[in-house]
Amino acid sequence: MSTSDKKLSSARLTQPTDKFVEEFTASVMFDQRMYRQDIQGSIAHATMLAKVGVLSEKEREQIISGLQQIMQEIERGEFEWSIAQEDVHMNIEARLIQLIGEVGKKLHTGRSRNDQVATDVRLYLRDMIVPIRSELRRLQLALLDVAEREADTIMPGFTHLQTAQPVTFGHHMMAWFEMLQRDIERLDDCSKRTNSLPLGAAALAGTTFPIDRSYTAELLGFERICRNSLDAVSDRDFAIEFNSFAALLMMHLSRFSEELIIWSSAQFDFVDLGDAFCTGSSIMPQKKNPDVPELVRGKTSRVYGNLFNLLTLMKNQPLAYNKDNQEDKEPLFDTIDTLLGSLRVYADMMGVIKVKKNNMRQAALKGYATATDLADYLVRKGLPFRDAHEVVGLSVAYGIRQNKDLSELSLEELRQFSDQINEDVFAVLTLEGSVAARNHLGGTAPAQVREAISFARQQLG
């Protein structure tokens, strides 16, 4: 079967469209992925037209039956897409007319491709937000599992990529969780503004037919209706907002990736990502390359580009609809695909990550990670913080010269810098003592990590 090559919108034109122009302006190659949403919107539109008396019940039934048949043809791979019909909307309508005749020509009453495509894109994005949110939650749950398992595992915490203070690996995973939780909140917020019905705005000014937009919104599950017809057909804020959310999420995944790449290197050797998420080298047999986090880090720039693409696309468009808006779909679709793939592979990878606890501990013993604990100890003994800071600085400098960590210095060595230091100092210079002492909301103490995990699980329901 084939759809008709006669354009449904060509009556005004006296010459056929140039072949190259036809191909250049067509979008059916990429917007056909919205066929479900287009048919869903058309069924709702036909149902509404019958309710207000523009279509008869028999005509409504014929249209819906034809649209359902087209859905089956597409899903069986039997539908022949035609560039001559430009896009998914006209392809489906042309086939509908082939199937049911003159009645099919009545479907477009009271609407335009302008409000039709705006509705389809919103429906499509709304549908795709569901699996994206699901994969995001799956990654969060994987992080919670790792954090719970590694709540007591000590590692060096870094600032400027220099050893700063001891933290637990569980605490570090919960930092990642918090970043993703903000992403979830942004996605939910974006979803609210996506879920608004443009259909009924027609080309730009509304329609003379007695349409019932509230009924159409109810049929399609929209929570609200776009209240201005000019804005309804030209608004792409929701797509830009989604891409903004996606850029932030990918930035977070890219930061995770950078840490995993560093941690899995021979120089750090903190984690093993699992062979299924790495590749070998074509020439160096010893290599195990962290390709998954590297590729996610690389794909982040792709999503940034899509966001800037959409912002630039919309920046100088006058109201209402312009052909420029055809260019909104490819960056949006690409971002959706990139997000889904990145989240899926990350959730799978974090589910099997192996933590090398001893290597982390040995690294935390280097770099004088408990220096702040010694300063806090001296403050509790009555020394002003700035004086305590100087004492610890001198102690660290001495330790460097002696090639000893603070915990390895003798009491006599430590006391040469302050007579406030006593035998009890060694309890705060241990890694375990350091992390356990930070036992407050948001702190790295294992007890607080477990409390944070419990709270997070309650949030997730």
Side-chain angles (χ1 to χ4, degrees):
M1 72 190 66
S2 64
T3 53
S4 172
D5 282 342
K6 183 178 184 300
K7 285 181 180 287
L8 299 182
S9 57
S10 61
R12 162 67 176 80
L13 307 178
T14 58
Q15 295 181 358
T17 306
D18 178 86
K19 186 66 175 174
F20 177 76
V21 171
E22 189 173 79
E23 294 175 357
F24 182 75
T25 58
S27 61
V28 68
M29 302 79 70
F30 52 84
D31 68 13
Q32 61 183 261
R33 69 161 67 190
M34 298 192 301
Y35 73 89
R36 279 183 173 275
Q37 290 75 26
D38 191 72
I39 291 173
Q40 180 185 2
S42 289
I43 288 174
H45 184 65
T47 302
M48 180 276 296
L49 290 177
K51 177 177 181 290
V52 299
V54 173
L55 292 179
S56 69
E57 283 300 315
K58 183 178 179 181
E59 288 170 332
R60 178 188 70 84
E61 290 172 7
Q62 285 180 279
I63 288 171
I64 292 176
S65 176
L67 290 170
Q68 289 171 340
Q69 181 176 332
I70 292 169
M71 177 88 80
Q72 293 169 4
E73 290 174 0
I74 294 171
E75 295 187 341
R76 288 197 302 261
E78 298 172 357
F79 190 91
E80 186 177 328
W81 298 98
S82 168
I83 287 178
Q85 293 299 343
E86 299 181 20
D87 55 34
V88 60
H89 325 292
M90 301 303 278
N91 267 266
I92 288 174
E93 187 176 343
R95 177 60 181 150
L96 180 67
I97 294 168
Q98 277 188 337
L99 287 173
I100 66 173
E102 291 297 306
V103 174
K105 296 179 180 180
K106 295 186 176 184
L107 173 60
H108 210 55
T109 305
R111 75 174 181 185
S112 160
R113 267 192 298 180
N114 294 357
D115 62 340
Q116 185 179 2
V117 66
T119 301
D120 287 3
V121 175
R122 286 176 182 268
L123 284 171
Y124 182 79
L125 180 56
R126 189 181 73 181
D127 288 347
M128 296 312 297
I129 282 173
V130 175
I132 288 170
R133 196 180 193 282
S134 177
E135 289 297 326
L136 193 44
R137 279 293 191 231
R138 195 164 69 89
L139 175 54
Q140 285 189 298
L141 288 170
L143 292 177
L144 290 180
D145 290 342
V146 176
E148 199 158 36
R149 192 169 65 242
E150 308 296 340
D152 296 290
T153 300
I154 293 175
M155 68 175 293
F158 300 96
T159 60
H160 309 278
L161 205 56
Q162 306 292 315
T163 298
Q165 294 176 326
V167 296
T168 63
F169 191 72
H171 189 59
H172 200 111
M173 292 298 97
M174 290 307 295
W176 289 7
F177 176 91
E178 289 295 326
M179 294 157 78
L180 295 180
Q181 186 60 25
R182 293 194 296 274
D183 291 321
I184 282 277
E185 291 168 4
R186 274 186 283 268
L187 180 60
D188 289 345
D189 208 34
C190 170
S191 180
K192 294 174 185 176
R193 277 179 286 280
T194 300
N195 202 22
S196 190
L197 175 73
L199 200 61
L204 77 162
T207 177
T208 59
F209 292 94
I211 60 172
D212 186 341
R213 297 185 71 202
S214 295
Y215 183 59
T216 307
E218 180 185 339
L219 291 173
L220 291 172
F222 280 105
E223 294 177 355
R224 58 186 64 80
I225 297 168
C226 298
R227 299 188 64 83
N228 181 281
S229 60
L230 283 167
D231 181 57
V233 296
S234 60
D235 170 35
R236 294 299 183 272
D237 290 2
F238 64 95
I240 295 172
E241 186 175 358
F242 174 80
N243 272 266
S244 179
F245 143 78
L248 278 166
L249 171 56
M250 289 301 293
M251 178 268 287
H252 289 152
L253 293 184
S254 186
R255 294 182 71 185
F256 301 174
S257 294
E258 181 71 8
E259 293 194 312
L260 290 175
I261 291 162
I262 292 170
W263 292 346
S264 62
S265 69
Q267 290 74 17
F268 277 74
D269 200 23
F270 284 0
V271 298
D272 188 307
L273 299 178
D275 290 353
F277 302 94
C278 299
T279 64
S281 165
S282 63
I283 190 172
M284 296 168 285
Q286 82 281 10
K287 294 291 295 298
K288 180 177 176 180
N289 299 323
D291 277 14
V292 165
E294 286 180 349
L295 191 55
V296 169
R297 186 177 60 182
K299 284 182 179 291
T300 300
S301 62
R302 182 183 188 127
V303 173
Y304 288 0
N306 290 336
L307 171 60
F308 195 69
N309 186 332
L310 288 171
L311 286 167
T312 307
L313 174 71
M314 298 303 299
K315 77 177 182 64
N316 59 352
Q317 285 197 41
L319 292 173
Y321 183 85
N322 300 278
K323 187 66 170 178
D324 311 44
N325 284 353
Q326 181 171 295
E327 293 295 305
D328 65 350
K329 295 165 198 63
E330 287 182 285
L332 177 61
F333 296 163
D334 184 72
T335 292
I336 289 169
D337 295 344
T338 302
L339 269 193
L340 277 172
S342 298
L343 288 169
R344 176 183 173 182
V345 76
Y346 240 93
D348 291 345
M349 181 174 63
M350 293 307 298
V352 298
I353 192 171
K354 293 180 181 177
V355 176
K356 300 183 178 182
K357 299 182 182 184
N358 187 57
N359 291 356
M360 286 187 174
R361 180 180 177 79
Q362 292 304 310
L365 289 170
K366 301 173 183 177
Y368 302 91
T370 57
T372 307
D373 297 276
L374 178 55
D376 291 346
Y377 167 87
L378 289 169
V379 169
R380 285 193 292 271
K381 292 287 186 176
L383 210 62
F385 179 78
R386 282 300 164 203
D387 292 341
H389 189 278
E390 182 179 358
V391 168
V392 177
L394 294 170
S395 302
V396 169
Y398 176 82
I400 291 172
R401 292 195 299 272
Q402 300 299 314
N403 197 27
K404 291 181 179 179
D405 184 66
L406 289 176
S407 62
E408 297 173 325
L409 297 177
S410 67
L411 181 60
E412 290 72 26
E413 287 175 304
L414 288 168
R415 282 181 63 84
Q416 66 182 305
F417 304 107
S418 174
D419 57 10
Q420 298 290 324
I421 299 176
N422 294 305
E423 192 69 40
D424 60 346
V425 73
F426 294 105
V428 304
L429 293 181
T430 64
L431 298 176
E432 287 77 13
S434 177
V435 296
R438 287 158 173 80
N439 190 19
H440 57 75
L441 180 63
T444 190
Q448 290 297 328
V449 173
R450 292 187 174 90
E451 185 65 30
I453 294 167
S454 176
F455 179 77
R457 292 197 189 279
Q458 290 174 19
Q459 278 186 298
L460 298 185

